Amino acid sequence: MKTILRSIPRLLGILAIATGASAAHATEFRSTDIWGDDYPTVIAVKHMGQTLSKLTNGKHSIKVFANSALGGEKDTIEQTKIGAVAMTRVNIAPMNNICPTTIVPTMPFLFHSREHMRAVLDGPVGEEILKSCEAQGFIGLAFYDSGARSMYTVKKPIKSIGDMKGLKVRVQQSDLWVALLEAMGANATPMPFGEVYTALKTGLVDAAENNYPSYESSRHFEVAKFYSKTEHSMAPEMLLFSKKVWDGLSPADQKALREAAKESVAVQRKAWDEREDKSLAAVKAAGSQIIEVDKASFQAVMKPVYDKFISDSKLKDMIKRIQDVK
């Protein structure tokens, strides 16, 4: 009996080690987003986590840190690269200076409709762009919709390109976006998204640009009532996984992550389309004016932007392939 009793601590220790080893292989991947829990991208990544759990029999899951809990997009991109977090959902623009091919779907007036944009990103061009980020430390898993971005102003509506002259416009922290606004005759003012409401309210900037859900959920419509449908960009969102974390996973786990990410795209798009309709109705009800613009006047000044950022023959070819997609 004494021999058995003396053996119990050792047996418990062995059991603890075995249990720890098993638990070590089960991972709760941390993912980041600047948006709240009800935003389409957050909904999609949560769904991805549920799918991943099913595909791996509960072995892996995803915990989403929403509402900029771990910082802005620039911060979370860096955290993902070094493996501090496993995954992040970001707009494609901050990736332009990191992964050169991401500049292509960011170009102004590139996509002529939502259907065209989705067909391109679901096809070979989209896969090529996602894969190109691997060399920079990121596994591109999927593209999410970000709608059409348009200008909104505090004091007066924008109806044609001439109305842009001299306006101080908040843009994302990206060289392309600065050049885009400068081509329109505006003064580009890069700043983090979280600072835009106050900047609009205090007059630090005259305008900003974004899609309906962002315009509504950020409450920017409270201080900038004129929403002009320039629809100058349909730059998508990207779902990026840390290559540092990825390389430590088994091929089966990598496959499950890719499958779960792809499945989440349809969820995000459905939620996005519903959210756009809901957001548009909400801002209209709050008194925002939705203004049609002379879009051709904006398109006419974009050549210098393309000349500057699409000088490489590979990128030019990609632009042509996108334009050829029906």
Side-chain angles (χ1 to χ4, degrees), residues 234-254:
M234 292 187 188
E237 314 280 3
M238 294 187 81
L239 191 59
L240 300 169
F241 203 91
S242 171
K243 188 174 187 300
K244 190 169 185 179
V245 177
W246 184 267
D247 288 345
L249 301 174
S250 70
D253 289 340
Q254 293 173 353

Side-chain angles (χ1 to χ4, degrees), residues 102-158:
T102 62
I103 199 83
V104 172
T106 321
M107 294 304 291
F109 302 104
L110 176 66
F111 303 113
H112 51 71
S113 69
R114 176 168 59 187
E115 291 72 27
H116 179 228
M117 179 265 293
R118 290 177 177 177
V120 169
L121 298 180
D122 288 348
V125 172
E127 284 299 323
E128 190 177 327
I129 294 168
L130 289 174
K131 188 167 179 56
S132 71
C133 294
E134 193 168 330
Q136 307 305 323
F138 304 93
I139 302 297
L141 291 178
F143 287 110
Y144 286 161
D145 277 21
S146 189
R149 299 174 75 100
S150 291
M151 298 289 169
Y152 47 90
T153 47
V154 176
K155 294 180 180 178
K156 62 178 184 178
I158 293 165

Side-chain angles (χ1 to χ4, degrees), residues 8-24:
I8 287 175
R10 186 171 64 85
L11 290 169
L12 287 174
I14 293 169
L15 181 62
I17 291 169
T19 306
S22 175

Side-chain angles (χ1 to χ4, degrees), residues 6 29 41 45 54 58 69 73 82 115 124 133 161 169 180 192 223 226 254 266-267 311:
R6 282 197 300 269
F29 297 114
T41 53
V45 175
K54 289 176 187 174
E73 291 190 343
I82 65 174
E115 291 72 27
C133 294
I161 193 67
V169 184
L180 171 60
V223 288
F226 303 106
Q254 293 173 353
V267 173
S311 56

Side-chain angles (χ1 to χ4, degrees), residues 88-265:
T88 189
R89 191 290 315 157
V90 293
N91 186 269
I92 200 170
M95 290 298 294
N96 292 167
N97 293 333
I98 300 169
C99 181
T101 58
T102 62
I103 199 83
V104 172
T106 321
M107 294 304 291
F109 302 104
L110 176 66
F111 303 113
H112 51 71
S113 69
R114 176 168 59 187
E115 291 72 27
H116 179 228
M117 179 265 293
R118 290 177 177 177
V120 169
L121 298 180
D122 288 348
V125 172
E127 284 299 323
E128 190 177 327
I129 294 168
L130 289 174
K131 188 167 179 56
S132 71
C133 294
E134 193 168 330
Q136 307 305 323
F138 304 93
I139 302 297
L141 291 178
F143 287 110
Y144 286 161
D145 277 21
S146 189
R149 299 174 75 100
S150 291
M151 298 289 169
Y152 47 90
T153 47
V154 176
K155 294 180 180 178
K156 62 178 184 178
I158 293 165
K159 296 181 179 178
S160 68
I161 193 67
D163 296 324
M164 294 293 299
K165 189 170 179 59
L167 286 182
K168 290 178 291 182
V169 184
R170 177 269 170 178
V171 294
Q172 299 175 77
Q173 292 162 302
S174 153
D175 294 343
L176 171 62
W177 282 90
V178 171
L180 171 60
L181 267 296
E182 288 176 348
M184 291 181 180
N187 295 322
T189 307
M191 69 173 64
F193 188 74
E195 298 174 14
V196 181
Y197 185 99
T198 301
L200 287 165
K201 189 173 183 178
T202 60
L204 181 62
V205 295
D206 304 306
E209 53 81 48
N210 222 311
N211 51 52
Y212 287 132
S214 299
Y215 174 60
E216 178 258 329
S217 62
S218 62
R219 313 298 293 180
H220 291 177
F221 67 90
E222 294 176 347
V223 288
K225 292 289 188 184
F226 303 106
Y227 189 96
S228 299
K229 289 176 64 179
T230 51
E231 297 180 333
H232 50 272
S233 173
M234 292 187 188
E237 314 280 3
M238 294 187 81
L239 191 59
L240 300 169
F241 203 91
S242 171
K243 188 174 187 300
K244 190 169 185 179
V245 177
W246 184 267
D247 288 345
L249 301 174
S250 70
D253 289 340
Q254 293 173 353
K255 182 182 177 183
L257 277 162
R258 286 194 185 278
E259 190 176 327
K262 293 298 182 188
E263 186 176 310
S264 75
V265 172

